[in-house]
Amino acid sequence: MFPADLTVPILLLLLLAAFAAGWIDAVVGGGGLLQLPALLLVPGLTPVQALATNKLGSIFGTSTSALTYYRRARPDLRTALPMAAVALVGSFGGASIAASLPVAVFKPVIVVALVTVAAITVLRPALGGSTSLRFSGHAHYRAAIGVGAAIGVYDGVLGPGTGTFLVIAMVSLLGYDFLQASAKAKIVNFSTNLGALLFFVPHGSVAWGLGVLLGVSNMSGSYLGSRMAVARGTRFIRTVFLVVVAALIVKVGHDVWVENLSPLLR
Protein backbone atom coordinates (compact mmCIF):
# COMPACT_ATOMS: atom_id res chain seq x y z
CA MET A 1 0.00 0.00 0.00
CA PHE A 2 2.79 2.44 0.99
CA PRO A 3 6.60 2.26 0.59
CA ALA A 4 8.13 1.31 3.92
CA ASP A 5 10.53 4.28 4.04
CA LEU A 6 7.99 6.95 3.04
CA THR A 7 8.24 9.95 5.40
CA VAL A 8 5.66 12.65 6.14
CA PRO A 9 7.70 15.48 4.52
CA ILE A 10 8.12 13.47 1.31
CA LEU A 11 4.42 12.56 1.33
CA LEU A 12 3.46 16.24 1.65
CA LEU A 13 5.81 17.09 -1.22
CA LEU A 14 4.21 14.35 -3.32
CA LEU A 15 0.70 15.64 -2.62
CA LEU A 16 1.71 19.19 -3.57
CA ALA A 17 3.36 17.91 -6.77
CA ALA A 18 0.25 15.86 -7.59
CA PHE A 19 -2.03 18.90 -7.19
CA ALA A 20 0.19 21.03 -9.44
CA ALA A 21 0.50 18.18 -11.94
CA GLY A 22 -3.29 17.81 -12.06
CA TRP A 23 -3.68 21.53 -12.79
CA ILE A 24 -1.05 21.48 -15.57
CA ASP A 25 -2.45 18.29 -17.09
CA ALA A 26 -5.97 19.71 -17.15
CA VAL A 27 -4.91 22.89 -18.96
CA VAL A 28 -2.48 21.52 -21.53
CA GLY A 29 -0.81 18.30 -20.36
CA GLY A 30 2.72 17.66 -19.10
CA GLY A 31 1.93 17.16 -15.41
CA GLY A 32 4.11 14.06 -15.40
CA LEU A 33 7.09 16.42 -15.38
CA LEU A 34 6.25 17.09 -11.72
CA GLN A 35 4.53 13.99 -10.40
CA LEU A 36 6.83 11.27 -11.76
CA PRO A 37 10.14 12.87 -10.67
CA ALA A 38 8.61 13.49 -7.23
CA LEU A 39 7.75 9.79 -6.94
CA LEU A 40 11.33 8.88 -7.79
CA LEU A 41 12.37 10.66 -4.57
CA VAL A 42 10.60 7.99 -2.46
CA PRO A 43 13.18 5.65 -0.89
CA GLY A 44 12.72 2.03 -1.91
CA LEU A 45 10.34 2.75 -4.79
CA THR A 46 11.66 1.26 -8.05
CA PRO A 47 11.34 3.19 -11.34
CA VAL A 48 8.69 0.75 -12.59
CA GLN A 49 6.71 1.14 -9.34
CA ALA A 50 7.02 4.92 -9.62
CA LEU A 51 5.74 4.83 -13.22
CA ALA A 52 2.84 2.53 -12.30
CA THR A 53 1.85 4.55 -9.21
CA ASN A 54 2.08 7.74 -11.27
CA LYS A 55 -0.44 6.24 -13.72
CA LEU A 56 -2.85 5.44 -10.90
CA GLY A 57 -2.62 8.97 -9.49
CA SER A 58 -2.94 10.53 -12.94
CA ILE A 59 -6.04 8.59 -13.97
CA PHE A 60 -8.01 10.28 -11.17
CA GLY A 61 -7.09 13.66 -12.60
CA THR A 62 -7.61 12.83 -16.29
CA SER A 63 -11.07 11.39 -15.57
CA THR A 64 -12.05 14.54 -13.64
CA SER A 65 -10.79 16.97 -16.28
CA ALA A 66 -12.28 14.87 -19.12
CA LEU A 67 -15.74 15.08 -17.51
CA THR A 68 -15.38 18.81 -16.79
CA TYR A 69 -14.30 19.57 -20.35
CA TYR A 70 -17.09 17.41 -21.77
CA ARG A 71 -19.75 19.23 -19.79
CA ARG A 72 -18.45 22.71 -20.62
CA ALA A 73 -16.66 22.48 -24.00
CA ARG A 74 -18.64 19.62 -25.62
CA PRO A 75 -15.77 18.03 -27.62
CA ASP A 76 -16.68 15.90 -30.64
CA LEU A 77 -16.74 12.32 -29.34
CA ARG A 78 -16.81 10.92 -32.87
CA THR A 79 -13.14 11.89 -33.04
CA ALA A 80 -12.14 11.55 -29.38
CA LEU A 81 -13.48 8.04 -28.70
CA PRO A 82 -11.77 6.22 -31.63
CA MET A 83 -8.54 8.01 -30.69
CA ALA A 84 -8.98 6.90 -27.09
CA ALA A 85 -9.62 3.28 -28.08
CA VAL A 86 -6.46 2.90 -30.18
CA ALA A 87 -4.45 4.91 -27.63
CA LEU A 88 -5.45 2.42 -24.90
CA VAL A 89 -4.12 -0.48 -26.97
CA GLY A 90 -0.99 1.47 -27.85
CA SER A 91 -0.35 2.39 -24.22
CA PHE A 92 -0.72 -1.23 -23.08
CA GLY A 93 1.77 -2.29 -25.74
CA GLY A 94 4.15 0.53 -24.83
CA ALA A 95 4.04 -0.37 -21.13
CA SER A 96 4.82 -4.00 -21.94
CA ILE A 97 8.11 -3.01 -23.60
CA ALA A 98 9.00 -0.10 -21.32
CA ALA A 99 11.53 -2.14 -19.37
CA SER A 100 13.49 -3.32 -22.43
CA LEU A 101 13.33 -0.50 -24.99
CA PRO A 102 16.35 1.87 -25.07
CA VAL A 103 14.23 5.00 -24.72
CA ALA A 104 17.28 7.29 -24.80
CA VAL A 105 17.36 6.76 -28.57
CA PHE A 106 14.07 8.62 -28.98
CA LYS A 107 14.78 11.57 -26.71
CA PRO A 108 16.94 13.61 -29.14
CA VAL A 109 14.12 13.37 -31.69
CA ILE A 110 11.63 14.55 -29.06
CA VAL A 111 13.80 17.61 -28.25
CA VAL A 112 13.96 18.60 -31.92
CA ALA A 113 10.19 18.15 -32.29
CA LEU A 114 9.49 20.25 -29.18
CA VAL A 115 11.78 23.09 -30.27
CA THR A 116 10.14 23.09 -33.70
CA VAL A 117 6.64 23.16 -32.25
CA ALA A 118 7.51 25.95 -29.81
CA ALA A 119 9.02 28.05 -32.61
CA ILE A 120 6.00 27.55 -34.87
CA THR A 121 3.60 28.41 -32.04
CA VAL A 122 5.48 31.63 -31.23
CA LEU A 123 5.93 32.68 -34.86
CA ARG A 124 2.33 31.86 -35.80
CA PRO A 125 0.13 33.50 -33.14
CA ALA A 126 -3.04 32.50 -35.00
CA LEU A 127 -2.21 28.78 -34.74
CA GLY A 128 -4.78 27.10 -32.53
CA GLY A 129 -6.82 30.28 -32.24
CA SER A 130 -9.78 28.75 -34.03
CA THR A 131 -10.73 25.35 -35.40
CA SER A 132 -9.92 24.85 -39.09
CA LEU A 133 -9.76 21.11 -39.74
CA ARG A 134 -6.99 19.97 -42.09
CA PHE A 135 -8.90 16.90 -43.31
CA SER A 136 -12.51 15.93 -43.87
CA GLY A 137 -14.50 12.70 -43.79
CA HIS A 138 -12.63 9.42 -43.39
CA ALA A 139 -9.24 11.11 -43.85
CA HIS A 140 -9.84 13.10 -40.64
CA TYR A 141 -10.63 9.97 -38.63
CA ARG A 142 -7.68 8.06 -40.06
CA ALA A 143 -5.35 10.89 -39.09
CA ALA A 144 -6.89 11.09 -35.59
CA ILE A 145 -6.54 7.33 -35.07
CA GLY A 146 -2.91 7.50 -36.20
CA VAL A 147 -2.24 10.25 -33.66
CA GLY A 148 -3.96 8.22 -30.92
CA ALA A 149 -1.93 5.10 -31.67
CA ALA A 150 1.43 6.91 -31.75
CA ILE A 151 0.80 8.92 -28.59
CA GLY A 152 -0.54 5.83 -26.81
CA VAL A 153 2.67 3.90 -27.42
CA TYR A 154 4.73 6.90 -26.30
CA ASP A 155 2.76 7.19 -23.06
CA GLY A 156 3.28 3.51 -22.27
CA VAL A 157 7.01 3.66 -22.96
CA LEU A 158 8.00 7.11 -21.63
CA GLY A 159 5.03 9.11 -20.37
CA PRO A 160 5.99 12.71 -19.48
CA GLY A 161 4.43 15.25 -21.81
CA THR A 162 1.80 12.91 -23.28
CA GLY A 163 -1.01 15.43 -22.91
CA THR A 164 1.18 18.15 -24.42
CA PHE A 165 2.01 15.99 -27.45
CA LEU A 166 -1.69 15.24 -27.89
CA VAL A 167 -2.48 18.96 -27.94
CA ILE A 168 0.43 19.59 -30.35
CA ALA A 169 -0.86 16.93 -32.75
CA MET A 170 -4.49 17.99 -32.61
CA VAL A 171 -3.68 21.67 -33.17
CA SER A 172 -0.95 21.34 -35.81
CA LEU A 173 -1.94 18.12 -37.62
CA LEU A 174 -5.72 17.99 -37.25
CA GLY A 175 -6.48 21.72 -37.08
CA TYR A 176 -8.36 22.10 -33.76
CA ASP A 177 -8.19 25.20 -31.59
CA PHE A 178 -6.39 24.90 -28.26
CA LEU A 179 -9.58 24.56 -26.21
CA GLN A 180 -11.06 21.73 -28.30
CA ALA A 181 -7.65 20.06 -28.56
CA SER A 182 -7.24 20.14 -24.77
CA ALA A 183 -10.75 18.78 -24.25
CA LYS A 184 -10.15 15.80 -26.56
CA ALA A 185 -6.65 15.27 -25.17
CA LYS A 186 -8.07 14.61 -21.70
CA ILE A 187 -10.32 11.82 -22.99
CA VAL A 188 -7.43 10.21 -24.86
CA ASN A 189 -5.01 10.70 -21.95
CA PHE A 190 -7.45 8.95 -19.59
CA SER A 191 -7.39 6.02 -21.99
CA THR A 192 -3.58 5.89 -22.18
CA ASN A 193 -3.34 5.89 -18.37
CA LEU A 194 -5.88 3.05 -18.23
CA GLY A 195 -4.02 1.05 -20.87
CA ALA A 196 -0.75 1.27 -18.94
CA LEU A 197 -2.48 0.33 -15.68
CA LEU A 198 -4.00 -2.76 -17.31
CA PHE A 199 -0.42 -3.94 -17.76
CA PHE A 200 1.07 -2.74 -14.46
CA VAL A 201 -1.67 -3.87 -12.04
CA PRO A 202 -1.41 -7.65 -12.73
CA HIS A 203 2.35 -7.37 -12.25
CA GLY A 204 1.92 -5.91 -8.75
CA SER A 205 3.78 -2.69 -9.57
CA VAL A 206 1.30 -0.21 -8.06
CA ALA A 207 1.66 1.23 -4.52
CA TRP A 208 -2.09 1.49 -4.02
CA GLY A 209 -2.31 3.58 -0.86
CA LEU A 210 0.13 6.17 -2.13
CA GLY A 211 -1.46 6.14 -5.59
CA VAL A 212 -4.95 6.82 -4.23
CA LEU A 213 -3.73 9.74 -2.09
CA LEU A 214 -1.93 11.20 -5.10
CA GLY A 215 -5.08 10.63 -7.13
CA VAL A 216 -7.23 12.68 -4.78
CA SER A 217 -4.74 15.56 -4.87
CA ASN A 218 -4.32 15.26 -8.64
CA MET A 219 -8.09 15.24 -9.07
CA SER A 220 -8.42 18.50 -7.12
CA GLY A 221 -5.82 20.21 -9.29
CA SER A 222 -7.45 18.84 -12.46
CA TYR A 223 -10.87 20.16 -11.51
CA LEU A 224 -9.49 23.65 -10.87
CA GLY A 225 -7.33 23.62 -14.01
CA SER A 226 -10.06 22.44 -16.39
CA ARG A 227 -12.53 25.04 -15.10
CA MET A 228 -9.93 27.80 -15.52
CA ALA A 229 -9.07 26.61 -19.04
CA VAL A 230 -12.71 26.58 -20.17
CA ALA A 231 -13.39 29.96 -18.54
CA ARG A 232 -10.29 31.72 -19.92
CA GLY A 233 -10.23 30.08 -23.34
CA THR A 234 -7.68 29.54 -26.08
CA ARG A 235 -5.32 32.45 -25.30
CA PHE A 236 -4.79 31.24 -21.72
CA ILE A 237 -4.25 27.64 -22.85
CA ARG A 238 -1.77 28.77 -25.53
CA THR A 239 0.29 30.66 -22.93
CA VAL A 240 0.41 27.71 -20.54
CA PHE A 241 1.16 25.45 -23.50
CA LEU A 242 4.31 27.42 -24.36
CA VAL A 243 5.48 27.38 -20.72
CA VAL A 244 5.02 23.60 -20.48
CA VAL A 245 6.74 22.99 -23.83
CA ALA A 246 9.69 25.08 -22.65
CA ALA A 247 9.87 22.99 -19.46
CA LEU A 248 9.74 19.79 -21.53
CA ILE A 249 12.59 21.04 -23.72
CA VAL A 250 14.71 21.71 -20.63
CA LYS A 251 13.85 18.36 -19.01
CA VAL A 252 14.28 16.14 -22.07
CA GLY A 253 17.27 18.18 -23.26
CA HIS A 254 18.96 17.58 -19.90
CA ASP A 255 18.26 13.85 -20.24
CA VAL A 256 19.82 13.83 -23.72
CA TRP A 257 22.91 15.62 -22.36
CA VAL A 258 23.35 13.23 -19.44
CA GLU A 259 22.58 10.01 -21.35
CA ASN A 260 24.05 10.70 -24.81
CA LEU A 261 26.45 13.64 -24.90
CA SER A 262 28.09 13.92 -21.49
CA PRO A 263 29.72 10.43 -21.63
CA LEU A 264 31.35 11.33 -24.98
CA LEU A 265 33.13 14.33 -23.41
CA ARG A 266 34.66 12.41 -20.52
Side-chain angles (χ1 to χ4, degrees):
M1 294 293 288
F2 291 93
D5 297 327
L6 180 64
T7 63
V8 172
I10 291 180
L11 177 59
L12 293 175
L13 175 64
L14 288 172
L15 295 177
L16 179 61
F19 179 87
W23 189 91
I24 293 170
D25 262 337
V27 177
V28 76
L33 285 170
L34 289 176
Q35 190 164 280
L36 184 57
L39 277 165
L40 293 172
L41 296 175
V42 179
L45 201 67
T46 68
V48 172
Q49 288 174 321
L51 181 60
T53 305
N54 176 61
K55 294 298 181 188
L56 177 60
S58 296
I59 203 168
F60 280 76
T62 50
S63 60
T64 300
S65 56
L67 286 172
T68 304
Y69 270 110
Y70 178 73
R71 290 172 180 169
R72 295 172 176 269
R74 294 295 178 182
D76 179 14
L77 296 183
R78 291 174 299 177
T79 299
L81 292 182
M83 288 183 71
V86 297
L88 185 148
V89 176
S91 182
F92 181 91
S96 68
I97 59 176
S100 59
L101 191 68
V103 296
V105 173
F106 297 96
K107 290 183 179 180
V109 178
I110 292 171
V111 173
V112 173
L114 285 169
V115 171
T116 302
V117 166
I120 292 172
T121 305
V122 170
L123 296 174
R124 296 180 58 191
L127 182 69
S130 61
T131 293
S132 179
L133 297 181
R134 308 280 188 268
F135 309 98
S136 60
H138 293 298
H140 170 78
Y141 295 111
R142 285 195 296 268
I145 287 171
V147 168
I151 299 295
V153 172
Y154 169 79
D155 193 30
V157 175
L158 290 172
T162 295
T164 309
F165 284 118
L166 279 167
V167 173
I168 288 171
M170 281 189 271
V171 169
S172 60
L173 298 180
L174 300 183
Y176 286 105
D177 64 44
F178 274 106
L179 179 59
Q180 284 297 317
S182 293
K184 291 175 180 62
K186 300 306 153 269
I187 297 172
V188 179
N189 207 176
F190 168 83
S191 189
T192 61
N193 285 332
L194 178 60
L197 280 174
L198 290 175
F199 174 80
F200 287 128
V201 169
H203 288 75
S205 301
V206 180
W208 286 96
L210 179 58
V212 169
L213 287 180
L214 291 179
V216 172
S217 187
N218 192 285
M219 184 168 57
S220 302
S222 292
Y223 180 73
L224 177 62
S226 54
R227 286 180 65 91
M228 288 179 66
V230 173
R232 300 191 179 188
T234 292
R235 186 186 295 267
F236 171 72
I237 297 173
R238 182 179 184 274
T239 301
V240 178
F241 172 82
L242 286 171
V243 172
V244 172
V245 167
L248 272 168
I249 291 171
V250 172
K251 171 63 171 63
V252 183
H254 176 266
D255 291 346
V256 169
W257 173 263
V258 171
E259 297 168 8
N260 298 73
L261 302 177
S262 182
L264 298 177
L265 301 177
R266 292 174 183 170

